[in-house]
Amino acid sequence: MQKRIVAFRRLADQHLEQLSEQFHVDYFPDLDSADDPAFREALGEAHGLVGASLGITPELLDGAPHLEAIASISVGYDNYPVDELTRRGILLCNTPDVLTETTADTGFSLIMATARRVVELADFVKRGDWKEGIGAPLYGTDVHGKTLGMVGLGRIGAAVARRGALGFGMNVLYTHASPKPSLETELGARRCEFDELLESADFVCVTVPLTAETTHLFGAAQFARMRASAIFINIARGKVVDEAALIAALKAGDIRAAGLDVFEREPLPADSPLPQMANVVALPHIGSATHETRTAMAQRAVDNVTLALNGERPLSLVNEAAWERRQR
């Protein structure tokens, strides 16, 4: 019997063709809700799922008795109940590595844009307000030689830190669950306590995954510890930050500016003050959004689910315990 895959995100023709060579594919490129009746029906017969940005719940899993593997087109997996998937023996795959450099590019572009007030001053020119040389009220701040505080130094965090240290001569501080001696040697980075990083860094860049421990890791107390001249960058997950506390800190001048690619609610609500604030650069969650990287992410997901449904170990596996159970 041919196994079935449900794809719930738009895929390129070559990826659909690759999947269709081995599997029956039910394709939902514009799925709005997991309550879609046709999606629910297909889910009941699915052996594999490929997609992203859809919350997978235990209730949904109850309606997918044949499910063997989920291939998420993302590096983050906070939309998935990992423990529940492992308990059921369902493999969860993601797409690290292929988006590391692109997401780090986004992070460092936010550092540059906020420091040099790029968006604000580009709008200044577009409005026709540039009538003479600008004065001190519109000056930016240097990036080179400053202190970059990395909250999280995994693949993406290390790539951002590498750009700062090697490209801009920045001093790197970092917090991480474990020491990174090779990066300390390569970049001159120094591991420190979270409070010290907040108090010392000119730029605080967040790249941690969203977990129970990191939810609202940044609130009023953390922003109060930062320098008034500091700039806050978030390319992790929106819920790592108490957004109301961030807005209050920006309005009060407790921190200088913020560059944000992620938010507590996405898309950003129309009544959010963040896009209208001159000291905020807000992007629509574009960390990995280039043609090349999104294609590579989809290819990794397709390869992952193909391997998993053929009884082979996927290239990128989140819940190793589920794979180990299969091997017993």
Side-chain angles (χ1 to χ4, degrees):
M1 181 188 72
Q2 190 178 41
K3 290 186 176 182
R4 302 176 73 100
I5 286 177
V6 172
F8 56 91
R9 181 166 175 170
R10 190 170 295 277
L11 296 174
D13 290 345
Q14 75 247 34
H15 297 137
L16 286 172
E17 290 169 6
Q18 182 179 339
L19 290 173
S20 298
E21 287 174 0
Q22 297 188 47
F23 312 108
H24 174 91
V25 180
D26 292 301
Y27 187 37
F28 298 88
D30 301 307
L31 185 69
D32 292 325
S33 168
D35 294 326
D36 182 282
F39 172 74
R40 290 282 186 143
E41 182 178 355
L43 194 62
E45 302 297 324
H47 299 88
L49 299 181
V50 178
S53 303
L54 180 70
I56 300 297
T57 64
E59 184 268 333
L60 271 181
L61 296 175
D62 288 341
H66 309 295
L67 193 61
E68 300 176 28
I70 301 175
S72 184
I73 309 174
S74 66
V75 66
Y77 45 87
D78 45 281
N79 282 340
Y80 304 93
V82 179
D83 291 343
E84 183 65 19
L85 291 171
T86 301
R87 187 184 71 78
R88 297 176 188 237
I90 299 170
L91 303 181
L92 176 61
C93 316
N94 65 344
T95 61
D97 304 320
V98 295
L99 53 68
T100 296
E101 298 300 332
T102 300
T103 306
D105 284 348
T106 301
F108 213 83
S109 72
L110 284 170
I111 290 173
M112 295 297 298
T114 49
R116 299 307 304 269
R117 303 171 69 169
V118 171
V119 175
E120 178 186 1
L121 294 178
D123 287 343
F124 177 81
V125 175
K126 286 181 180 180
R127 290 193 306 268
D129 292 339
W130 186 28
K131 302 183 186 306
E132 57 185 0
I134 67 168
L138 292 178
Y139 287 172
T141 186
D142 285 335
V143 174
H144 63 272
K146 294 295 182 68
T147 297
L148 173 61
M150 296 302 308
V151 182
L153 203 66
R155 293 182 183 89
I156 293 170
V160 174
R162 194 169 283 115
R163 284 157 173 73
L166 304 182
F168 288 79
M170 300 182 82
N171 304 305
V172 176
L173 301 176
Y174 76 96
T175 62
H176 198 79
S178 57
K180 299 283 186 173
S182 62
L183 289 172
E184 291 177 9
T185 299
E186 177 189 0
L187 307 178
R190 181 171 68 85
R191 188 170 181 242
C192 66
E193 295 298 322
F194 186 39
D195 285 349
E196 181 187 350
L197 183 147
L198 295 177
E199 294 166 359
S200 303
D202 299 298
F203 298 86
V204 175
C205 182
V206 189
T207 63
V208 294
L210 180 64
T211 65
E213 291 73 27
T214 63
T215 298
H216 282 193
L217 176 65
F218 280 85
Q222 287 69 43
F223 291 120
R225 280 192 175 273
M226 291 170 59
R227 297 178 175 186
S229 59
I231 292 175
F232 178 73
I233 306 294
N234 188 10
I235 57 171
R237 285 290 186 267
K239 291 181 181 178
V240 170
V241 178
D242 179 343
E243 212 159 90
L246 171 61
I247 291 167
L250 288 164
K251 286 182 175 179
D254 293 337
I255 61 174
R256 181 187 182 104
L260 309 169
D261 190 40
V262 290
F263 304 89
E264 283 193 290
R265 287 176 57 196
E266 296 180 3
L268 197 61
D271 60 353
S272 171
L274 288 169
Q276 280 70 50
M277 299 176 74
N279 57 344
V280 172
V281 177
L283 299 177
H285 203 150
I286 64 163
S288 63
T290 67
H291 292 293
E292 300 92 338
T293 296
R294 289 292 171 87
T295 298
M297 291 169 67
Q299 184 63 60
R300 174 65 66 92
V302 167
D303 292 341
N304 277 335
V305 77
T306 299
L307 288 167
L309 296 190
N310 283 317
E312 300 179 55
R313 193 185 190 286
L315 300 170
S316 311
L317 184 59
V318 172
N319 54 346
E320 187 72 35
W323 174 254
E324 291 173 356
R325 286 182 57 183
R326 287 193 177 189
Q327 306 312 302
R328 292 172 189 164

